[in-house]
Amino acid sequence: MISATRLEAADAAVTVLSNRSEVTDWALRYFGPWWNATSVDAVAVCAGAVLIAEVTPDAYKGITRLVHDGRPTQAVDYAKHPLLVARDDEDIIATSPEEGIAYRSTPSSGRLVLAGTEAQPLALAAARLAREAIRGQLLRDGWAVLHSSAVVRPDDGATLLAFGDKGAGKTTTALLLASHGWQLLANDRVLVRPTGERDVEVVPWPSAAALGLGLLHSLGWDDKAREHLRAGDSFHPTQHESVTEALLAGDHTPLWENAKRERKVQVFPDQFPDLFDVPLATGGRAAGLLFPQVDADAAPDIIGGTRTLGEADFMSGATEDRYPDVFGQARGVDGGGRESARAEVAARLAELPRRAVRLSHDIPASAAVLCKAADAI
């Protein structure tokens, strides 16, 4: 039996169909809180962008043979897995042996076919590609992608965007404000578009949120996380087992991979409201900018600063390291949006009020400073 889940964000939409309900259920759960995901009748799906993801080992083998039949290929890293990509007339075909998934994309029609050998990796891959299908449509429609966290004031949709390099405190800023009356829109990146004469519309970029063990403990969420695991539940499957073990043991010492990358708790979008009482927003209008920086030894405060937006604050084809557009969803538009769209967004955001904020490991004091800065904006 074929099941279907439809995703909608702004004016973009894609329908995920599968012969395994695990695949469509995954998309429903993963995107539901942010991208209006709904179960639909598969028989009624007849138009628009469609992603078909089925557990069909024979189809996986067939596409994989096509990729390897002597045509020119390109090896790329996609979602941390090696992917071999080729062309079959107008179609883009690819195979990922590590995942046991083969792909066929027809960019001109928006049709994507995934053939896999197992349900869980296929569900993850289908969610990634469904998100890319939405992003591709939005980029072609004049949207851009900001490297920013965001929170929304529920009364009027006013949205605060937090910018900074890795480790600056973007996620901390968003989570603290979302725990004090605001709604969480995004923890790492957002989609934005100029609307009207001066506004910038903002919608979420759904993804699992990576929270360090120390941050989880500082927020007072580690007990809830441990109870969640002890009850037999789980976090996102990309979470390393050493993180799960640390949570169960009550150890919040940071865990490092190759001394460079911290292993973190991977939280599903729907776990924010259900597990940590953090409300989510589905859209908003940019109203102000925050530039946090973390200094563990200094008192939290609103500080002076002349930080402005730069190229690094926009995601682009050059900065996108995990999901390059190998399947042609954006049809040639840069992964961060057209240059004209980015320039207009930057110009409009430059007119908004802004505050530079120093945060520390003193969570209550940091939250108080952020709330003060937010009120001032």
Side-chain angles (χ1 to χ4, degrees):
M1 181 176 177
I2 304 299
S3 57
T5 294
R6 182 173 175 83
L7 315 176
E8 296 179 346
D11 298 324
V14 64
T15 304
V16 180
L17 297 100
S18 182
N19 62 348
R20 299 291 291 270
S21 60
E22 300 100 304
V23 174
T24 50
D25 287 349
W26 184 277
L28 187 66
R29 177 189 183 184
Y30 198 85
F31 297 108
W34 273 325
W35 274 3
N36 307 303
T38 54
S39 294
V40 295
D41 183 358
V43 177
V45 177
C46 58
V50 173
L51 186 152
I52 302 168
E54 298 190 335
V55 176
T56 48
D58 287 344
Y60 163 71
K61 292 174 185 175
I63 297 175
T64 298
R65 280 196 297 269
L66 276 179
V67 173
H68 288 287
D69 75 349
R71 64 194 68 212
T73 59
Q74 178 188 11
V76 298
D77 208 31
Y78 189 82
K80 299 183 180 180
H81 296 287
L83 188 71
L84 196 62
V85 185
R87 303 286 306 209
D88 185 30
D89 294 326
E90 69 167 318
D91 288 357
I92 300 166
I93 56 175
T95 184
S96 174
E98 283 189 359
E99 298 172 287
I101 300 172
Y103 303 81
R104 179 180 288 274
S105 171
T106 309
S108 60
S109 67
R111 181 183 174 91
L112 277 160
V113 175
L114 281 65
T117 57
E118 297 180 21
Q120 187 181 68
L122 185 65
L124 270 67
R128 286 194 297 265
L129 266 296
R131 186 171 55 195
E132 290 305 296
I134 293 283
R135 175 168 75 159
Q137 293 174 51
L138 292 177
L139 292 179
R140 300 196 308 271
D141 199 29
W143 291 73
V145 185
L146 287 177
H147 189 198
S148 164
S149 67
V151 291
V152 175
R153 189 164 54 200
D155 338 357
D156 58 3
T159 302
L160 296 181
L161 301 165
F163 296 89
D165 297 332
K166 186 174 181 180
K170 296 188 298 296
T171 297
T172 301
T173 295
L175 294 180
L176 287 178
L177 286 172
S179 300
H180 288 77
W182 294 71
Q183 297 173 332
L184 180 65
L185 186 77
N187 72 290
D188 185 61
R189 66 186 74 181
V190 292
L191 289 145
V192 289
R193 177 179 65 174
T195 56
E197 294 185 3
R198 300 177 59 185
D199 287 345
V200 175
E201 185 180 357
V202 188
V203 298
W205 170 269
S207 66
L211 308 184
L213 288 165
L215 175 58
L216 199 78
H217 175 70
S218 297
L219 290 167
W221 294 353
D222 49 342
D223 286 342
K224 293 180 180 179
R226 186 161 48 255
E227 291 169 10
H228 179 72
L229 292 171
R230 286 177 175 170
D233 295 313
S234 63
F235 289 100
H236 195 278
T238 56
Q239 179 171 299
H240 196 275
E241 62 182 39
S242 64
V243 175
T244 302
E245 291 168 359
L247 281 173
L248 287 169
D251 184 358
H252 49 84
T253 307
L255 297 172
W256 297 94
E257 184 175 330
N258 301 325
K260 293 181 181 178
R261 185 183 183 90
E262 186 180 356
R263 290 174 175 166
K264 298 183 177 182
V265 182
Q266 302 291 329
V267 181
F268 277 103
D270 67 345
Q271 288 175 328
F272 278 114
D274 294 348
L275 193 56
F276 301 126
D277 299 320
V278 171
L280 302 182
T282 57
R285 172 188 49 80
L289 314 182
L290 292 170
F291 297 101
Q293 61 184 59
V294 177
D295 186 337
D297 301 320
D301 201 359
I302 298 173
I303 57 178
T306 56
R307 167 81 153 82
T308 58
L309 294 188
E311 189 64 29
D313 294 311
F314 287 83
M315 302 303 297
S316 70
T319 57
E320 179 55 84
D321 55 352
R322 286 178 294 175
Y323 311 115
D325 188 25
V326 295
F327 297 104
Q329 297 302 295
R331 300 184 201 174
V333 178
D334 184 90
R338 291 189 178 92
E339 186 176 345
S340 57
R342 297 200 301 268
E344 181 61 25
V345 166
R348 294 188 182 199
L349 293 182
E351 299 297 318
L352 297 179
R354 64 197 56 219
R355 292 290 186 277
V357 183
R358 183 174 61 226
L359 308 177
S360 77
H361 294 169
D362 184 337
I363 292 298
S366 294
V369 165
L370 283 170
C371 290
K372 181 180 177 182
D375 289 344
I377 288 177

